[in-house]
């Protein structure tokens, strides 16, 4: 099996990881209700996607 010849020091490992960053998701405003939600997803508030109702929200009894 492939095996590293030398140990990578914690400094070298951590320096490599300085480029690993979390990216903020692109947010969109719903055209129907104005709620803010993640792009390319159905609006969690009203169930609209690209101007059409695709998910009908169940009304709590
Ligand atoms: Zn909406």
């Amino acid at each position: 099996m492939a095996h590293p010849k030398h140990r990578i020091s914690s400094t070298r490992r951590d320096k490599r990881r300085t480029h690993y960053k979390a990216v903020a998701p692109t947010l969109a405003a719903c055209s129907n209700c104005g709620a803010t939600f993640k792009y390319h997803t159905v609006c969690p508030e009203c169930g609209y996607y690209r101007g059409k109702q695709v998910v009908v929200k169940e009304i709590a009894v």
Side-chain angles (χ1 to χ4, degrees):
M1 255 212 313
H3 197 80
K5 196 166 191 175
H6 299 288
R7 180 190 153 89
I8 303 273
S9 69
S10 55
T11 302
R12 195 172 153 192
R13 179 202 63 201
D14 295 347
K15 277 166 98 176
R16 178 178 67 237
R17 291 181 184 173
T18 61
H19 299 280
Y20 299 174
K21 286 175 193 136
V23 286
T26 310
L27 296 175
C30 179
S31 58
N32 184 55
C33 70
T36 307
F37 62 99
K38 236 164 73 180
Y39 242 100
H40 303 116
T41 58
V42 173
C43 175
E45 297 300 319
C46 63
Y48 268 62
Y49 185 71
R50 298 188 69 191
K52 276 191 225 163
Q53 183 143 41
V54 290
V55 176
V56 180
K57 207 174 179 184
E58 207 174 287
I59 297 138
V61 183

